[in-house]
Amino acid sequence: MEPRIVGPGPYRATRLWNEIIELFRAGMPLRKHRCRFKSYERCFKASEAVDCLHELLGSNQNFGPEVTRNQTVKLLKKFLKNHVIEDIKGRWGKEDFQDDGHLYRFPPSSPLKPYPKKLSCGKEVIKFPDWNELKAGTSQEHMPVKSVTMNSEMWYKRHSIAIGEVPTCKLVFRRELTQTNIEEMWKAMTLSRLQKVLGLDSLNEVLDTKLVNSKHIVHNAYNVNKQGIVTLEDKSKELPHWILSAMKCLANWPSYSDLKQPTYSGFERDVFKTIVDYFGQMKEPLLTFNFFDVFVSVLGLLQNHSRAVEALQISCLLLPPENRKRLQLLVRMMARISFNKDLPPLSELVKTRTLMVQAFSRCILCSKDEMDLDELLAAKLVSFLMDNYEEILSVPSTLKSSIEEHVVHLQKVQIKYAGADTDATSPPPFCHQISTDEFEYQRATGSQEPLAALLEEIAMNKEISVKDKKKQLKQFQKSYPEVYRVRFPTPETEAVLFPGKTKQKPPILMWALKKPFQPFHRTRSFRM
């Protein structure tokens, strides 16, 4: 059985658990072993299981080579507890697995976990705030409108104002956007973008959108210092000064001057232990329990670096400001310590980078309910965060500019024509910048092509009278002479639309020529 990448989506942790069980059962060598003068068929030693599973996890792209042997032993303990394996006497249910020579075997069928039935939050489609409802005392002139696709009849009505057939157009002012309106727009467009990056049809299975606080998103986007760190209005939520000093001491070792550097050996390890103890006593991880499934889903994108970074950027924007700030400071410290060659080793057993991941993974990401792959998933995420923390923990500029442009669009004055529908607010598409020449070309061709099609529709319309057609063509020529000249460069090309009637000569009165000419004769009545 070949390992496969488990992508983002609902119940990703459960899908990974079932995948590892199937791979382990298929790849673990089974043979005959002896124990206390007795032979046992189709079993394996505990150390052999650790070797096999460690190699399997390291080569699996869902976990990677940074999985340690100690983490593998912890996972096998959970396998024993959940009856994925049992000892040769059939005992299971306890986490007393050790990396030694004890014999274990697979039960007839290792239980796969069913997908949990989450409480439905409703099939909530991400809706964008609509401010079309009028305030009390607001007149119809201030109703927002949207553009309408024109046909020849509508075009003629709109351009026949001069002859008094329809009322003139009016300027329409949008209702003023409040801070709450803008925060709702930030939330809607942020979640919409996250859903698109994750490639999900809905966020309902990985996130209860009702728990996302729009104020947190806006605060994280705008209240930052020069280093990009979130600033807090409530100073009581700041990290204690002594913790900040300890973190700065190790992050900037040995150049940090706020503290007098002691001379005793092991000082840096004591400082590190103090930091670990402080973050380890938190009741909730920095990424919060509510967003656990979202971040686990993002792990399915790590093969696509740019998508993974953007997904984490947006996901971290949802955090409470105090959590985001602590995460920024902690991950920055971890990264600096890992690359600081001047800092003495903080452990004799593992490398500094591995120690950072093991020490802080659980305080960054874990589930409220005990999950069997918590530690492995958290280690994978924390490693990626450390390598890309500057980019991930910054405000996504593309998203920010897109939302700001949309807010400006909503506040612009619009033109309302009779019969136009009200505006259904929709998010602007994510676009890329083009050159000035390309813009001018698109503006010219983009406006002339629909007008040319409209002129052709008027010219070929056989349902209107010749008089009305001439009238509409004349109006079009007056409004758009360049487009009209392209279609009808000469009077002859225009005359083709109105072929003249052939005039018939009046018939000759043949009856008048039937009798020959008779001269005048004087009658008797004229005698003198």
Side-chain angles (χ1 to χ4, degrees), residues 135 400 483 504:
K135 293 180 179 179
K400 183 179 179 181
V483 179
Q504 297 182 358

Side-chain angles (χ1 to χ4, degrees), residues 1-6 15-29 47-69 72 75-76 79 84 106 373 376 380:
M1 180 179 178
E2 293 295 329
R4 61 180 183 273
I5 298 177
V6 179
R15 287 185 286 149
L16 284 171
W17 170 266
N18 292 340
E19 163 111 345
I20 289 301
I21 291 177
E22 293 175 348
L23 291 173
F24 182 51
R25 284 183 65 96
M28 181 66 215
S47 57
E48 294 173 343
V50 177
D51 293 337
C52 177
L53 186 57
H54 186 218
E55 181 180 356
L56 187 152
L57 292 172
S59 61
N60 191 307
Q61 296 184 22
N62 295 299
F63 300 97
E66 292 190 341
V67 177
T68 63
R69 188 174 183 87
T72 306
L75 181 57
L76 283 166
F79 278 5
V84 176
F106 291 116
L373 295 178
L376 293 178
K380 183 77 171 177

Side-chain angles (χ1 to χ4, degrees), residues 17 20-21 24 53 70-86 92-98 104 110-111 113 292 362 365-367 369-378:
W17 170 266
I20 289 301
I21 291 177
F24 182 51
L53 186 57
N70 184 49
Q71 291 172 332
T72 306
V73 172
K74 290 182 179 180
L75 181 57
L76 283 166
K77 288 183 177 183
K78 294 179 179 180
F79 278 5
L80 182 60
K81 180 180 179 181
N82 290 276
H83 203 195
V84 176
I85 59 176
E86 61 185 19
W92 60 278
K94 296 182 179 180
E95 293 189 12
D96 53 359
F97 183 94
Q98 299 294 330
Y104 292 89
S110 295
K113 287 192 173 184
F292 174 80
R362 189 163 183 82
L365 177 70
C366 69
S367 173
D369 302 320
E370 183 180 357
M371 298 288 292
D372 295 313
L373 295 178
D374 266 11
E375 188 171 348
L376 293 178
L377 296 175

Side-chain angles (χ1 to χ4, degrees), residues 15-284:
R15 287 185 286 149
L16 284 171
W17 170 266
N18 292 340
E19 163 111 345
I20 289 301
I21 291 177
E22 293 175 348
L23 291 173
F24 182 51
R25 284 183 65 96
M28 181 66 215
L30 305 178
R31 60 177 182 268
K32 182 178 179 180
H33 287 84
R34 291 183 61 85
C35 179
R36 296 181 181 179
F37 307 105
K38 189 175 181 181
S39 298
Y40 296 92
E41 300 288 343
R42 297 181 59 80
C43 58
F44 51 87
K45 292 182 179 180
S47 57
E48 294 173 343
V50 177
D51 293 337
C52 177
L53 186 57
H54 186 218
E55 181 180 356
L56 187 152
L57 292 172
S59 61
N60 191 307
Q61 296 184 22
N62 295 299
F63 300 97
E66 292 190 341
V67 177
T68 63
R69 188 174 183 87
N70 184 49
Q71 291 172 332
T72 306
V73 172
K74 290 182 179 180
L75 181 57
L76 283 166
K77 288 183 177 183
K78 294 179 179 180
F79 278 5
L80 182 60
K81 180 180 179 181
N82 290 276
H83 203 195
V84 176
I85 59 176
E86 61 185 19
D87 68 12
I88 53 175
K89 295 184 178 179
R91 294 174 298 192
W92 60 278
K94 296 182 179 180
E95 293 189 12
D96 53 359
F97 183 94
Q98 299 294 330
D99 189 0
D100 53 23
H102 281 75
L103 297 180
Y104 292 89
R105 66 190 181 192
F106 291 116
S109 61
S110 295
L112 299 180
K113 287 192 173 184
Y115 296 130
K117 294 182 179 180
K118 301 182 72 172
L119 294 175
S120 177
C121 302
K123 286 293 181 182
E124 182 184 33
V125 179
I126 299 176
K127 297 181 179 180
F128 292 86
D130 186 3
W131 301 288
N132 290 334
E133 296 181 2
L134 298 178
K135 293 180 179 179
T138 305
S139 63
Q140 291 289 333
E141 283 77 8
H142 291 77
M143 288 182 61
V145 298
K146 69 176 181 181
S147 59
V148 179
T149 304
M150 291 190 298
N151 54 27
S152 59
E153 181 179 0
M154 183 176 294
W155 177 89
Y156 178 66
K157 286 183 178 181
R158 289 191 174 183
H159 289 77
S160 56
I161 296 173
I163 58 177
E165 295 187 15
V166 294
T168 184
C169 60
K170 301 179 248 186
L171 288 180
V172 179
F173 297 89
R174 301 271 187 173
R175 65 177 294 181
E176 183 179 356
L177 299 183
T178 65
Q179 181 62 24
T180 301
N181 296 149
I182 296 175
E183 289 171 355
E184 291 174 354
M185 180 57 61
W186 264 91
K187 175 180 176 179
M189 295 187 67
T190 300
L191 293 179
S192 177
R193 184 58 184 170
L194 177 61
Q195 178 177 323
K196 183 176 181 179
V197 175
L198 291 177
L200 302 177
D201 295 330
S202 172
L203 289 176
N204 291 337
E205 298 297 341
V206 298
L207 175 66
D208 185 353
T209 57
K210 296 177 182 177
L211 299 178
V212 177
N213 191 323
S214 58
K215 293 183 181 296
H216 292 169
I217 301 175
V218 176
H219 184 103
N220 292 333
Y222 289 102
N223 294 275
V224 295
N225 60 19
K226 295 180 179 179
Q227 290 75 36
I229 305 297
V230 177
T231 58
L232 304 180
E233 297 177 356
D234 187 356
K235 300 304 179 182
S236 65
K237 296 181 179 180
E238 296 276 7
L239 283 172
H241 177 73
W242 55 275
I243 283 293
L244 283 174
S245 297
M247 295 172 70
K248 291 178 181 179
C249 175
L250 294 185
N252 301 301
W253 185 280
S255 60
Y256 184 60
S257 59
D258 191 27
L259 293 175
K260 293 181 178 180
Q261 299 295 342
T263 56
Y264 73 88
S265 176
F267 167 76
E268 64 282 349
R269 296 188 182 187
D270 290 342
V271 175
F272 179 70
K273 184 177 184 304
T274 300
I275 300 172
V276 172
D277 291 342
Y278 175 81
F279 282 97
Q281 52 82 33
M282 295 190 307
K283 296 181 180 179
E284 186 175 23

Side-chain angles (χ1 to χ4, degrees), residues 234-364:
D234 187 356
K235 300 304 179 182
S236 65
K237 296 181 179 180
E238 296 276 7
L239 283 172
H241 177 73
W242 55 275
I243 283 293
L244 283 174
S245 297
M247 295 172 70
K248 291 178 181 179
C249 175
L250 294 185
N252 301 301
W253 185 280
S255 60
Y256 184 60
S257 59
D258 191 27
L259 293 175
K260 293 181 178 180
Q261 299 295 342
T263 56
Y264 73 88
S265 176
F267 167 76
E268 64 282 349
R269 296 188 182 187
D270 290 342
V271 175
F272 179 70
K273 184 177 184 304
T274 300
I275 300 172
V276 172
D277 291 342
Y278 175 81
F279 282 97
Q281 52 82 33
M282 295 190 307
K283 296 181 180 179
E284 186 175 23
L286 294 176
L287 299 183
T288 76
F289 293 135
N290 293 332
F291 300 144
F292 174 80
D293 290 334
V294 174
F295 286 102
V296 170
S297 290
V298 174
L299 289 174
L301 298 174
L302 294 190
Q303 304 305 314
N304 187 327
H305 184 272
S306 59
R307 282 184 64 193
V309 168
E310 184 179 2
L312 284 173
Q313 273 186 330
I314 299 174
S315 300
C316 290
L317 205 61
L318 309 180
L319 298 173
E322 57 272 19
N323 287 47
R324 180 177 171 87
K325 181 170 186 176
R326 294 185 179 202
L327 180 67
Q328 289 174 318
L329 296 174
L330 178 60
V331 176
R332 184 176 66 175
M333 180 205 74
M334 294 166 60
R336 290 183 177 180
I337 290 177
S338 299
F339 294 106
N340 190 348
K341 296 181 179 180
D342 296 327
L343 182 66
L346 299 175
S347 173
E348 300 294 341
L349 302 177
V350 296
K351 295 181 179 180
T352 302
R353 177 184 171 86
T354 303
L355 178 63
M356 293 297 109
V357 175
Q358 292 180 352
F360 297 109
S361 290
R362 189 163 183 82
C363 73
I364 292 178

